[in-house]
Each structure stands twice: as structure tokens, then as C-alpha cells.
Amino acid sequence: MSAASDQQVVAWAKQGHDAAFRELVRRYERPVFSLLYRMVRNHALAEDLAQETFIKVLNGIKSYRPEFKFSSWIFKIANNAAIDHLRRKSIDTLSLDGAPSAETPEQMRATSLQLGDRAESPLDEVENRELGTAIERAIGRLRPEYRSCILLRHVEGYSYEEIAETLELPLGTVKTYIHRARNELRGYLEDRRD
Amino acid sequence: MTDLTMHLTTEEIELWAQGLLPAARALHLADCSLCRVEGDRERKVILELVQLPHFAPTAGFADRVMAHVKVPTPSDSWKV
């Protein structure tokens, strides 16, 4: 099965072959998890979002249209999950005094940022090691929209056209995002070397 | 025929940095330090990006996913 095309494996999955579902997970768990991890920069959360992505894709496999690349479909769903999470997070963590939705003093306390009260867990150590290099930190400073474009372009090797289709963005926007992202990365990396 | 004095576009610089720019256009770099410097900077960052590794989720990820997936039975697909 590992030599079959994605389209063939999806066809087998649609026929109810459990092994075909597992093959799709095997093929895409690392690329999808890597994209999400670099987007949200938290191992456990990235894994939750990856799991959510695969469950959505595999349970909706009958709606998959074979004229599109399977990888584009799964990356589209993964990226949407990451962007939705980051938008929610930016709303919830804007204030040190608690989430804007907090109405009572108790809710404000419960949702406020507590600086310096958290010990580093083993997973934090993994994150620091994996995402601690200069290039990974520079990627983490990019706007999420730039980040997904640059990762699909240079880590996954997608063409501009494929990225535009995957992220449902105009081709010109994708080119602009990637150009700006690389400029910003160059700036961050050159600052580091100075 | 392309004018050799014409600076490379952003896309051409990316192609050059990846070794994909047609030789006729790449000739411009021999005489243009501006494009060469820009191309070298671009090449460094692209090289760092393409060398990034894939990360793996924790062991048992596929099983955790499959626990929530409803695999259609063959009889379901025959009904289509």
C-alpha cells in the first residue's frame, strides 16, 4: 500500500479499508503535526489540533474530491484549525487582567496571566529544544498568515499556485506574504549575527 | 531576448537561490553586485528553511485518531 498514490489510498478508504485510513495517517502525521507545531508552538496543543484535523478529514473522506490533491485538503483543514486557535487565543490573552469575556472578579482572576508562576515541564523542555534554534524562533515571530505560507513553500515544497489553492488566497497575496516573510526572517537572522 | 542589464525580479532571485534560474538570466549576476548580494541573502534563508526537520507526534497518535474515526463498512460503499 505504501507505493500507492494518495488518490488510490483514499479510494480504498472510501471502500472501508481500515488499513487505508491508517496509511493516510502514517503519510501525513509528521507534516501535519510539524505545520501545526510551528504555528501554535506548543507540543500538546499541536497534537490536539492534528488529531482534530485527521478526525475531520477521515470522517469526511467521502466528501473528498479527487481532482484536488489530498495533501492540499488536509493542510487546508490543519491550517484553518491553527488560525482559528490563534485568533481565539489573541482575544483571550490580550489583557493581563483576564479575558475580555470575564465579567466577575473571580472570572478575571481565573483567566488572568500569571507571570513567573509556572515551572518548566518536560514538554516545555522538548519545545525549547525543538523550537529554540534561531530559524525556529524567527519563524515564531512571523504573522501566522506569513508563517503558514513560508512553511508550505519551503518545508513542504509547495508551489505558489498550490499554496494559493490550499489556503484559498489570491496568488498575488501568497507571493507577497512569502516575499515579506523571507525578508523578515532575513532581518531576524542577520540581527542575530550582528 | 532578455536584456542582461535588467535586474532579477523577486521570483527570479528565489529561483536562482534554489539553483533553478535559467542560465541565460543567471548571467546577469556576473555583472550585478546588487542582485548577487540579494541572491546570496535569499539563498541563506531558503537553505535554513529547507533543512528544517519534520517533527513527530507522540507514540500512539494513529490509534488515538482511529478511535474517533468511523470506517465505512463495505456494504455502505456498495450503496453509493
Side-chain angles (χ1 to χ4, degrees):
Chain A
M1 188 174 291
S2 58
S5 68
D6 282 355
Q7 311 301 58
Q8 183 59 61
V9 178
V10 170
W12 286 327
K14 284 181 174 181
Q15 290 166 8
H17 294 282
D18 183 90
F21 284 87
R22 287 184 178 273
E23 173 65 13
L24 292 171
V25 178
R26 190 193 66 75
R27 285 182 187 194
Y28 287 100
E29 61 181 348
R30 290 170 68 96
V32 165
F33 173 74
S34 299
L35 176 78
L36 287 164
Y37 189 24
R38 289 189 169 105
M39 290 296 286
V40 302
R41 305 183 70 74
N42 176 295
H43 200 284
L45 176 61
E47 199 158 308
D48 284 348
L49 293 174
Q51 190 170 325
E52 184 186 304
T53 298
F54 276 99
I55 291 169
K56 199 168 185 176
V57 164
L58 299 180
N59 279 330
I61 200 84
K62 287 200 168 178
S63 66
Y64 167 68
R65 290 159 59 193
E67 62 266 33
F68 296 109
K69 279 175 78 173
F70 178 78
S71 57
S72 296
W73 190 43
I74 196 163
F75 278 124
K76 178 192 292 186
I77 291 172
N79 183 63
N80 286 347
I83 297 287
D84 285 350
H85 167 79
L86 293 171
R87 283 191 186 134
R88 282 198 304 271
K89 187 182 159 201
S90 73
I91 291 168
D92 287 346
T93 57
L94 274 177
S95 169
L96 286 170
D97 298 326
S101 57
E103 289 174 354
T104 66
E106 289 74 26
Q107 287 172 340
M108 287 174 74
R109 262 197 302 278
T111 57
S112 66
L113 285 179
Q114 302 294 316
L115 302 177
D117 65 348
R118 193 166 154 265
E120 195 172 71
S121 73
L123 259 187
D124 291 334
E125 286 174 32
V126 171
E127 282 160 19
N128 289 340
R129 193 177 59 241
E130 291 178 334
L131 300 181
T133 62
I135 183 73
E136 294 284 11
R137 280 188 276 116
I139 290 169
R141 292 169 70 175
L142 295 173
R143 281 171 48 174
E145 295 83 359
Y146 292 4
R147 220 181 298 164
S148 42
C149 284
I150 202 87
L151 291 172
L152 287 174
R153 177 78 188 110
H154 293 300
V155 180
E156 300 309 325
Y158 272 42
S159 67
Y160 287 97
E161 290 76 10
E162 286 170 327
I163 296 169
E165 185 190 304
T166 300
L167 302 183
E168 292 179 331
L169 290 171
L171 183 57
T173 303
V174 169
K175 288 181 180 177
T176 303
Y177 282 4
I178 289 175
H179 179 58
R180 287 183 186 162
R182 276 205 308 264
N183 267 346
E184 287 187 20
L185 290 175
R186 277 162 41 174
Y188 297 143
L189 295 172
E190 284 163 6
D191 283 350
R192 172 200 61 170
R193 288 175 191 128
D194 291 343
Chain B
M1 193 172 158
T2 314
D3 182 355
L4 270 185
T5 61
M6 203 168 72
H7 288 303
L8 298 187
T9 64
T10 307
E11 285 174 49
E12 285 178 324
I13 284 180
E14 182 185 334
L15 287 174
W16 179 79
Q18 295 172 303
L20 301 171
L21 186 68
R25 263 316 262 148
L27 278 176
H28 169 77
L29 288 156
D31 291 322
C32 179
S33 59
L34 203 68
C35 285
R36 212 167 42 243
V37 167
E38 184 68 8
D40 281 338
R41 293 178 72 207
E42 197 77 330
R43 180 145 64 185
K44 277 181 194 154
V45 76
I46 290 175
L47 196 63
E48 294 222 35
L49 287 165
V50 300
Q51 289 175 337
L52 286 173
H54 274 150
F55 297 116
T58 52
F61 178 78
D63 291 333
R64 291 194 295 282
V65 168
M66 290 307 292
H68 298 275
V69 174
K70 185 181 180 299
V71 177
T73 59
S75 59
D76 286 341
S77 57
W78 293 338
K79 286 176 195 164
V80 178

